[in-house]
Every structure is written in C-alpha cells, then in structure tokens.
Amino acid sequence: MACSWTPKQNKQFEDALATYVKDTPDRWHKIAKAVSGKSAEEVRRHYEALEKDILSIETGQVPIPNYANPRARGYANEQRLLKNLKPQ
C-alpha cells in the first residue's frame, strides 16, 4: 500500500538522507524521527522506491520528455507563451 508524502516530508527526508549516510547505525529510525508522521519502515520503503526510479531512468526505461515540441507541456511551452506576451 502506497503512502502519500507531502513536499515538506520529502524535504525532511532529503535533508535526513544527507545527514544520516549509508553506514549510520539505526539509519532508518533516525531518518524517521526527522520526517514528521513517517515510520522507519515507511522511510526505508520510500528510499527503495526512489532507488528503483533512479535505476529505471538511468537504464533508459523512462522516456525523456520532448520539450522541443511547442505543443508539449512544460518549460518549452511556457517559453513560447512568454515570448508572445507584449509589455503593456
């Protein structure tokens, strides 16, 4: 069962990962204490899911978005819209 994570919890998680490196004793318990509302098991599973996502990206299993397409959503589309704005 997937649990949702708030942006605040993700930031706490990232900060705790930087603080409690791989070889830290009781790492997941310490990270869980730094992330509001999450258990050691939840933070460990979140980490493993992120590792899996990174592996998928690095092995080319996730397609790279085509930002060059002016009809695509995202940065390129925003740039096209901004270019067409006229100062008042």
Side-chain angles (χ1 to χ4, degrees):
M1 180 165 90
C3 297
S4 63
W5 285 63
T6 66
K8 180 180 178 180
Q9 288 171 320
N10 274 312
K11 177 64 175 149
Q12 292 170 335
F13 177 72
E14 292 169 7
D15 291 344
L17 279 177
T19 301
Y20 304 111
V21 296
K22 189 176 183 176
D23 296 328
T24 302
D26 299 319
R27 181 184 193 202
W28 301 122
H29 292 283
K30 290 175 181 176
I31 292 173
K33 286 182 183 179
V35 179
S36 55
K38 298 296 179 182
S39 69
E41 181 63 21
E42 288 172 311
V43 296
R44 186 188 58 77
R45 283 195 314 255
H46 193 58
Y47 180 82
E48 289 171 353
L50 290 174
E51 277 188 320
K52 184 178 176 185
D53 288 346
I54 291 168
L55 181 62
S56 295
I57 292 166
E58 290 177 343
T59 58
Q61 297 175 19
V62 176
I64 297 173
N66 182 6
Y67 293 121
N69 180 348
R71 294 180 190 261
R73 290 186 172 192
Y75 179 77
N77 193 40
E78 289 176 15
Q79 292 302 308
R80 181 183 60 77
L81 292 172
L82 288 172
K83 184 174 137 184
N84 293 326
L85 287 177
K86 294 185 170 101
Q88 297 185 24

